[in-house]
Amino acid sequence: HTEIVVSPEHDIELRRVRITNRSRARKSVEVTSYAEVVLAPAAADALHPAFSNLFVQTEIVAARQAILCTRRPRSRDEPAPWMLHLMAVHGAEAAEVSYETDRARFIGRGGSVSDPLALRAPGALSGSQGSVLDPIVAIRQRIVLEPAQTATLDLVTGVGESRAACLQLAEKYQDRRLADRAFEMAWTHSQVALRQINVTETDAQLYGRIASSIIYANASLRVDAGVIAKNRRGQSGLWGYVISGDLPIVLVQLRAPKNIELVRQLVQAHAYWRLRGLAVDLVVWNEERGGYRHALHDQIMGLIAAGQGANVIDRPGGIFVRSADQISNEDRILLQSVARAVFTDDQGTLADQVRRRAASEPAIPRLVATRTRSAEPAPAALAPPRDLVLFNGLGGFSPDGREYVITTSAANPTPAPWVNVLANAHFGSVLSDSGSAYTWHENAHQFRLTPWHNDAVGDASGEAFYLRDEETGRFWSPSALPCRGAGTYVTRHGFGYSVFEHTEDGIASELTVYVDLDLPVKFAVLKMRNASGRARRLSATGYVEWVLGSLRTKSAMHVVTEIDAEGGALLARNAFDPEYAGHVAFFDVDDVARTLSGDRTEFLGRNGTMGRPAAMARARLSGKVGAAMDPCGAIQVPVDLAPGATREIVFRMGVGRGSEDASRLVQRLRKSGTARAALDAVRQYWTTTL
């Protein structure tokens, strides 16, 4: 049983875990905590986490069963914050305590927090500390529980101004009574705070549900997707209304004075959010027509003055009251589109509108296996070519020096992502030996088409390809990630291109990725050969997560996807981006039998991963595109292969300056032989250049 609380007295979070042995046997239980350390502004961590991590230093304080972290300042004016993490055990004896502060050691190369190396490998954590490059805090306690015995573990994470302050906190929260006091004080403090702004517990629960949609933008409280799709204005369109657009926006539209209660509740909700540290711009539209408009305006301002919001009118994180008849139709669409929650007084009470559910989507049929996978022996590991130059155990140069050849397996990955930069003057992509990639246009920081995770341990990516046996339902990736198959993968990094080779269940695949010499487009040519000796039914799926800006967390809610009317390519745009609003990205394939989707939630599934996406268990993709969704581009192509037959599919991702330009570019790239000619041009360019 786990309880989580933030102390009103100290800057700490306390997680209390109670573990009870309900069996009749003696049990030995290991509890391991894990948290990734930032100690920096969120933006600095999001934009360049690997660089930000370089300045974090860790220290294990075994006497306090705690870990301390600090950030070395880069200038005299920069603060040096300290962080504390400890695990205290009550009601049982801790048989063994160990520590870890190196994420690479804990997760393991290519691993994840869902299946970390530290929980697969027996024994104590390594105890690494200091400048570990990718810092975490992890403490493992092994406790022994007799039948019916209960143990309580207090996990404390907090910050202090100095090392001494953190050590003092560690000493205090080793004491069970002080930890109990944190729970009691938090409850008392919460009740007093609610009374100060006249909020009931029921109201607080309601406002908390709205806050979830503010922090994690989703379609449940947003305006209709059709309105969002019409928006063509960017963030600067808000500035004329003294709204920056940097903070989340909640919009309430009031038409009749009799429904003023809706505004009162949202003004109260705004006060509650501010009390909890959540900065939100609350925009109130007065839509009353005629001579009563001013009277309603005065009534609204009176509500604000009576509450806690009088001193935040027309300020960032405050309340903005505007007359709807002074807002142009374009700006109305803009404001409705960017609001994370929209409430209108003709849709019932606030509680009714929060409880409303979007219309259910038609269910996509599941893939029904028609063949049981035979118990074939695992393929033998391919030995690296013996003629490689300067071979180091993983890779070496081809004899002609034109490629670097890397051979990896699940048990023998590269120690860090081994990347190839594919780029022309305006467009490029970074591609690792495992197939993980990110792509940009014009500015690798400001206009990323897909996300850059900058994760040297997990090598996460926003781009992926999958092959699936349509008879058995088994699927794998033609590159090592995100869904590694059995056996080995061979990666060949060449000048301006990379090739991934793998054989799985009798299907030999070769994925060649490169960027056009001049055009803003990336080709991914997937070649499949049936070496299984029998006819095969397969599918090939390409997947990209759209960013269309600097950070996905900022841009995702503004990205709108659609299907090109002429060519059928999947298009995506972000009209809210201040600099690249006119750019339209596309994802396309040269096969008319394809199915597609622009909905990441559909493709991955709730709490799904790219290693096991929900779409791989369904017969096809839904064709769903539009606005107010978690945007992606997914295309699935059916493939029938006779014994010994070969099939080539060309995936293209690029960007145009507007929908028409993107559509023309798609049509141009679909011409026969274009992909091969582009690769030949890239090879010729590098041969000449070098």
Side-chain angles (χ1 to χ4, degrees), residues 465 511-512 514 521-528 540 587-591 635 637 647-653 669-671 673-676:
F465 292 94
L511 176 66
T512 305
Y514 52 98
V521 61
K522 180 168 83 168
F523 293 91
V525 181
L526 178 60
K527 186 183 294 184
M528 294 158 285
F587 191 41
D588 187 35
V589 71
D590 57 347
D591 193 299
I635 302 179
V637 179
R647 171 77 183 276
E648 186 175 274
I649 299 174
V650 181
F651 291 89
R652 294 171 289 267
M653 176 171 55
L669 295 168
R670 282 187 175 181
K671 293 179 180 178
T674 302
R676 171 56 59 184

Side-chain angles (χ1 to χ4, degrees), residues 233-519:
R233 302 214 62 193
Q235 185 172 352
S236 60
L238 300 171
W239 300 343
Y241 302 95
V242 203
I243 302 170
S244 70
D246 294 331
L247 296 174
I249 294 173
V250 173
L251 174 65
V252 54
Q253 300 171 242
L254 185 65
R255 295 182 176 89
K258 65 180 181 180
N259 297 323
I260 194 72
E261 172 64 15
L262 180 65
V263 176
R264 186 200 67 78
Q265 277 191 287
L266 283 166
V267 168
Q268 190 180 59
H270 187 265
Y272 175 77
W273 297 328
R274 282 192 294 121
L275 189 69
R276 297 300 186 202
L278 178 59
V280 178
D281 287 340
L282 175 62
V283 181
V284 182
W285 276 3
N286 176 3
E287 300 211 45
E288 175 67 26
R289 308 268 180 199
Y292 294 103
R293 186 175 69 248
H294 294 296
L296 184 56
H297 177 84
D298 293 342
Q299 200 172 353
I300 294 169
M301 298 304 290
L303 276 178
I304 297 171
Q308 303 282 322
N311 60 339
V312 294
I313 293 176
D314 288 353
R315 294 183 179 181
I319 303 175
F320 304 82
V321 182
R322 300 292 181 262
S323 180
D325 61 359
Q326 296 176 4
I327 303 175
S328 69
N329 188 54
E330 281 188 341
D331 289 347
R332 288 176 69 95
I333 292 173
L334 170 65
L335 275 162
Q336 290 175 317
S337 299
V338 302
R340 303 193 177 203
V342 177
F343 301 99
T344 58
D345 65 346
D346 59 358
Q347 297 292 321
T349 65
L350 182 63
D352 290 339
Q353 295 186 55
V354 171
R355 283 194 295 262
R356 74 187 178 199
R357 290 287 184 269
S360 59
E361 300 289 338
I364 308 301
R366 293 185 64 81
L367 179 71
V368 179
T370 58
R371 182 187 182 100
T372 302
R373 185 186 175 212
S374 57
E376 300 176 4
L382 294 177
R386 293 181 176 274
D387 58 349
L388 296 181
V389 180
L390 298 177
F391 180 68
N392 58 20
L394 285 171
F397 292 99
S398 60
D400 62 6
R402 293 177 180 270
E403 292 181 340
Y404 197 89
V405 183
I406 307 166
T407 304
T408 61
S409 64
N412 193 32
T414 55
W418 211 319
V419 304
N420 199 3
V421 181
L422 316 174
N424 59 37
H426 307 286
F427 183 91
S429 182
V430 171
L431 187 66
S432 84
D433 64 281
S434 63
S436 297
Y438 98 98
T439 306
W440 73 87
H441 177 52
E442 293 188 357
N443 188 307
H445 168 73
Q446 294 295 338
F447 195 62
R448 298 168 181 162
L449 271 64
T450 57
W452 181 48
H453 294 280
N454 195 14
D455 181 2
V457 177
D459 200 9
S461 175
E463 303 179 22
F465 292 94
Y466 303 88
L467 291 174
R468 182 175 68 183
D469 187 323
E470 297 296 290
E471 295 175 317
T472 65
R474 187 171 182 271
F475 60 92
W476 64 93
S477 292
S479 57
L481 290 179
C483 184
R484 180 185 286 275
T488 56
Y489 283 83
V490 176
T491 302
R492 296 189 282 117
H493 284 327
F495 295 110
Y497 67 93
S498 289
V499 181
F500 304 90
E501 299 173 348
H502 180 64
T503 299
E504 189 86 12
D505 280 354
I507 301 298
S509 62
E510 181 182 280
L511 176 66
T512 305
V513 184
Y514 52 98
V515 167
D516 190 271
L517 202 58
D518 302 301
L519 299 174

Side-chain angles (χ1 to χ4, degrees), residues 32-33 59-68 85-87 96-102 105-106 124-129 136-141 174:
T32 307
S33 65
E59 176 190 354
I60 296 171
V61 185
R64 293 277 184 267
Q65 296 185 354
I67 300 173
L68 303 184
H85 181 69
L86 72 87
M87 182 189 294
E96 184 180 352
V97 186
S98 58
Y99 308 87
E100 182 61 80
T101 68
D102 185 349
R105 287 174 178 265
F106 190 93
L125 299 176
S126 76
S128 61
Q129 60 181 318
I136 63 163
V137 286
I139 301 177
R140 173 175 292 174
Q141 299 255 26
Q174 290 282 356

